[in-house]
Amino acid sequence: MRGNGSWGTAAARAVRFVRRTLREEWQNIVMEPVRQLVRRGLSGIVLAFVAAFGVIFFHAIAQHPFGRRMVWHLGGVTADLPLWLSLLRTPVSLYVPALDLPVWAGITQLFLAFALAELGLGRARTLAIAYVTTLAGTMTARLMVALGPGWWGFGLPPEVGRVLDTGPSAAVVGLFTYLAVVRRAPVVFTLTGGSMVWESIAVPNLAGREHLIAVAAAIVLGLMHGHRLPLPARLVERLGTPPTPPWSDPPVYRPGPPRHPVPSFRLP
């Protein structure tokens, strides 16, 4: 009887914990952005519309041979490109979908990720997280190809350098992971990170590795959220010099009490 009672108590605690966790995640991940959307209107999800329409536009152009070449020259990123050209094309690659994946499912995920991030984090931070996580996957892929086969499975053969980059999917994974870390949402984090680990195991390709790198970069950025010091303060602390006082306005003249002339003695 005691064993059954202890198991029942543990099960009840687990159910309450799961229920509380799901309720908190629902409030932080869904309800809070919905309140922001009601307050700000459609202007609060401009980035989500731009990202979705950008993917639709590039996907429609890529259906024709000439358009496919144009999309490649604008946003096609591979590991064998020169570094400067890869960096130049990376912002446009956020809108270039993979041709072998269902585009409408990807657009739905892209719109949802950008909308939740823009409403909860702001436009500037959303763009920064999307770009940094995508760039982290791209640069790591270049490093893997440069190392070559071996290196305990980290390196990749040279022919992988001609494989097209992941496109907007790395940004989607990075945004969901960052939101899960910042909002303390373990269920969303498990679904996002766990699906990427499963993808890399089930289909060991370049995209799976880039997704894992995007998840790792988003975790690091999420842990740094709210704990960073401004760059001038860091330099001041490292150099040990006192900060320069800010510029102040010139002193304001305030009239004092009236002055009376002092009598002077004159000789005759």
Side-chain angles (χ1 to χ4, degrees):
M1 296 297 293
R2 289 183 177 179
N4 293 335
S6 61
W7 279 107
T9 304
R13 290 179 179 177
V15 169
R16 287 196 297 268
F17 174 76
V18 172
R19 185 183 303 172
R20 184 172 63 252
T21 302
L22 291 177
R23 183 172 63 250
E24 291 177 357
E25 289 198 25
W26 177 261
Q27 291 291 333
N28 295 331
I29 301 296
V30 179
M31 294 306 298
E32 184 61 30
V34 168
R35 296 190 190 98
Q36 293 290 333
L37 179 61
V38 172
R39 185 173 62 87
R40 298 166 57 184
L42 295 180
S43 62
I45 52 175
V46 173
L47 283 182
F49 282 112
V50 171
F53 286 129
V55 171
I56 295 173
F57 174 75
F58 282 108
H59 179 74
I61 291 179
Q63 302 306 311
H64 306 280
F66 176 76
R68 181 173 300 185
R69 290 195 298 270
M70 185 179 68
V71 170
W72 157 250
H73 287 295
L74 288 177
V77 177
T78 57
D80 60 352
L81 286 176
L83 180 59
W84 67 270
L85 187 57
S86 179
L87 294 175
L88 189 63
R89 293 182 179 181
T90 298
V92 185
S93 69
L94 294 175
Y95 307 102
V96 178
L99 299 178
D100 56 343
L101 295 178
V103 63
W104 293 110
I107 289 174
T108 303
Q109 297 176 3
L110 180 73
F111 183 85
L112 185 61
F114 271 87
L116 293 176
E118 185 177 2
L119 291 171
L121 305 174
R123 293 176 185 174
R125 183 169 296 175
T126 300
L127 286 175
I129 298 301
Y131 181 75
V132 169
T133 51
T134 303
L135 189 62
T138 301
M139 294 297 104
T140 307
R142 295 178 64 90
L143 177 61
M144 292 177 181
V145 174
L147 292 176
W151 295 87
W152 298 281
F154 184 77
L156 292 173
E159 57 268 16
V160 180
R162 295 187 293 271
V163 178
L164 191 64
D165 199 9
T166 56
S169 59
V172 172
V173 172
L175 288 175
F176 274 125
T177 304
Y178 185 86
L179 282 173
V181 174
V182 172
R183 301 299 183 187
R184 293 177 175 83
V187 176
V188 177
F189 179 81
T190 303
L191 292 176
T192 305
S195 62
M196 293 303 101
V197 172
W198 172 253
E199 176 192 359
S200 63
I201 296 175
V203 186
N205 54 11
L206 181 62
R209 297 193 179 198
E210 291 187 356
H211 289 161
L212 287 179
I213 298 300
V215 168
I219 292 174
V220 173
L221 293 174
L223 294 177
M224 293 172 60
H225 177 76
H227 298 281
R228 292 178 298 175
L229 293 174
L231 183 58
R234 288 194 221 171
L235 293 177
V236 166
E237 290 181 359
R238 184 160 297 187
L239 296 175
T241 56
T244 304
W247 291 97
S248 58
D249 296 332
V252 179
Y253 173 74
R254 296 179 179 178
R259 297 182 179 181
H260 301 284
V262 179
S264 59
F265 296 96
R266 296 181 180 179
L267 295 177

